[in-house]
Amino acid sequence: MPHLALSQLALTVPVGGDLSLRRSAFKGSNLNFQDKSWAPVITLDMKANNSRLRNRHVICMSVQKASASKVAVSPLGLEDASEPPLNLHKPKEPYTATIVSVERLVGPKAPGETCHIVIDHDGNVPYWEGQSYGVIPPGENPKKPGAPHNVRLYSIASTRYGDFFDGKTASLCVRRAVYYDPETGKEDPSKNGICSNFLCNSKPGDKIQVTGPSGKIMLLPEKDPNATHIMIATGTGVAPYRGYLRRMFMESVPSYKFGGLAWLFLGVANTDSLLYDDEFTKYLKDYPDNFRYDIALSREQKNKKGGKMYVQDKIEEYSDEIFKLLDNGAHIYFCGLKGMMPGIQDTLKRVAEERGESWEQKLSQLKKNKQWHVEVY
């Protein structure tokens, strides 16, 4: 693609005739997330704008794939708040957002289906990287007749600017929860996950009840832009890290110039199950000094003992280096199914003892220093 065309494309991100209005809506250095008067007043007619949004997505993706240069983001006022937004929309008064797109992320040989879901919140449910949205699926709670379903929490898989870089969307990474009867081996739809199937079955234009944002434990510490961040995920637990990495390596954020090391460990079943692999592989190519990417494929790789390769085996493989980085102040994050933690903890404890250290004391110190971040479900 010619260089001139790239420059012209870069100028179109994000596109839309209301861009100047959106910018003016976010002016002011003392942005208060609890005061919703700052939110954009433009309403978005999804039926009329779905095609425009999809076209805008294509433009953004073509920029990120064609050039290593970063994408300008807007509105920059999202950087002004000193504290993260928290619980702007509670379960009794959720925000009605709109589904923009639902895209299958995994290949045909992946066990199960995982989808990337873009939600338009029109700037009314802002969030920071590492936070979660609550989703209330439609229908009646079977345990409480007449009441809505309980809130389901999902880690947000985009930066505060969203996939279109304009601060109006959020993305979720959702695995469809399906139940198979152990006796017949057949799917039992009556026991399938209500919210995950609602999300994965959604179509552009569908409405969705959103609460939040919530969570502070997984916020990306940005006071030191040269810090080291070790990110460990299984499956959809990669969601917050996609947000971190887009902020570090894809977006041009004037107030945050990342110059440290981001090291991602991702554990999934097989190659077809890898999530956002194209993005991560591109960062590896464009920022080899600042990004490392290690995967554990349990059904395709073997650990050093000949067993299945899990994410804790990868951690053990690099344990000396990881411990040295932690000793020098690195942050370490864990996100995914809670069943991942016992194996990881056992591995870290064994490594610590081999080094002549007490893992209990080390863990206590990491928590005290706020280097230890865990969000499992």
Side-chain angles (χ1 to χ4, degrees):
M1 191 179 292
H3 180 73
L4 179 61
L6 275 178
S7 301
Q8 290 170 335
L9 275 176
L11 290 172
T12 65
V13 181
V15 298
D18 56 355
L19 178 58
S20 60
L21 287 172
R22 286 185 221 163
R23 280 181 178 156
S24 66
F26 286 88
K27 281 181 180 176
S29 57
N30 297 316
L31 189 61
N32 179 1
F33 281 116
Q34 304 307 321
D35 176 9
K36 297 176 189 174
S37 62
W38 62 270
V41 295
I42 306 116
T43 58
L44 187 62
D45 180 353
M46 286 304 302
K47 289 184 179 178
N49 285 280
N50 266 338
S51 60
R52 180 173 67 81
L53 282 170
R54 283 196 292 271
N55 290 338
R56 180 168 63 180
H57 187 241
V58 170
I59 290 173
C60 293
M61 293 304 289
S62 67
V63 169
Q64 71 192 51
K65 287 181 179 178
S67 170
S69 60
K70 294 186 176 182
V71 179
V73 292
S74 176
L76 293 175
L78 286 174
E79 303 294 325
D80 291 342
S82 58
E83 291 293 325
L86 283 171
N87 302 313
L88 301 180
H89 300 274
K90 298 189 169 57
K92 289 187 178 179
E93 294 181 344
Y95 179 77
T96 302
T98 307
I99 298 290
V100 176
S101 61
V102 178
E103 177 187 1
R104 181 184 168 100
L105 282 176
V106 294
K109 295 180 181 178
E113 181 180 26
T114 301
C115 296
H116 180 74
I117 299 160
V118 181
I119 299 166
D120 192 296
H121 59 78
D122 204 25
N124 292 302
V125 198
Y127 56 88
W128 282 7
E129 299 72 22
Q131 289 192 300
S132 298
Y133 267 0
V135 176
I136 303 175
E140 186 178 283
N141 189 331
K143 296 181 180 178
K144 298 178 182 177
H149 284 291
N150 293 332
V151 173
R152 269 72 165 185
L153 289 177
Y154 293 92
S155 298
I156 299 171
S158 51
T159 72
R160 66 193 71 185
Y161 296 100
D163 284 11
F164 304 137
F165 311 106
D166 64 357
K168 300 188 77 172
T169 69
S171 300
L172 304 181
C173 180
V174 179
R175 176 165 177 164
R176 187 190 293 274
V178 180
Y179 176 81
Y180 291 94
D181 188 291
E183 293 183 7
T184 65
K186 293 183 179 180
E187 181 183 342
D188 183 351
S190 68
K191 296 182 180 179
N192 287 349
I194 293 169
C195 197
S196 65
N197 282 274
F198 158 68
L199 288 168
C200 291
N201 290 335
S202 295
K203 300 288 187 294
D206 287 353
K207 300 301 179 183
I208 176 175
Q209 300 295 305
V210 173
T211 68
S214 63
K216 296 179 77 171
I217 192 70
M218 294 290 284
L219 292 177
L220 183 64
E222 296 187 358
K223 288 185 179 179
D224 179 6
N226 298 316
T228 294
H229 304 274
I230 302 167
M231 300 164 280
I232 299 160
T234 57
T236 58
V238 78
Y241 309 143
R242 179 185 185 252
Y244 298 172
L245 295 170
R246 285 173 76 92
R247 186 163 173 82
M248 291 171 179
F249 301 126
M250 185 183 289
E251 298 177 345
S252 177
V253 181
S255 59
Y256 183 60
K257 304 290 186 184
F258 182 68
L261 172 66
W263 191 353
L264 173 63
F265 291 87
L266 175 59
V268 292
N270 55 20
T271 304
D272 270 24
S273 303
L274 288 170
L275 305 172
Y276 309 111
D277 189 61
D278 287 348
E279 287 187 21
F280 302 152
T281 303
K282 187 176 188 303
Y283 303 147
L284 202 57
K285 177 184 175 184
D286 294 342
Y287 301 95
D289 296 332
N290 302 96
F291 182 53
R292 293 174 66 172
Y293 178 35
D294 284 278
I295 58 177
L297 307 176
S298 61
R299 298 190 185 181
E300 294 179 4
Q301 298 173 329
K302 300 290 184 185
N303 60 27
K304 64 181 182 181
K305 296 178 182 176
K308 291 183 176 182
M309 174 72 81
Y310 292 109
V311 72
Q312 60 261 35
D313 298 310
K314 277 291 177 186
I315 294 170
E316 186 171 14
E317 196 176 311
Y318 294 100
S319 57
D320 281 344
E321 196 172 353
I322 290 172
F323 270 66
K324 287 174 184 174
L325 290 170
L326 290 174
D327 289 342
N328 288 325
H331 290 268
I332 190 164
Y333 309 80
F334 304 88
C335 191
L337 294 173
K338 56 184 159 188
M340 72 186 269
M341 289 308 293
I344 290 173
Q345 291 266 33
D346 289 345
T347 297
L348 293 172
K349 183 177 181 179
R350 185 172 64 255
V351 171
E353 290 172 351
E354 289 171 357
R355 292 165 57 91
E357 299 181 57
S358 162
W359 173 242
E360 286 73 19
Q361 288 181 5
K362 192 170 194 70
L363 178 58
S364 175
Q365 192 61 45
L366 290 171
K367 290 179 177 178
K368 184 179 178 181
N369 295 343
K370 297 183 178 180
Q371 294 171 250
W372 184 264
H373 312 263
V374 179
E375 185 172 84
V376 292
Y377 40 84

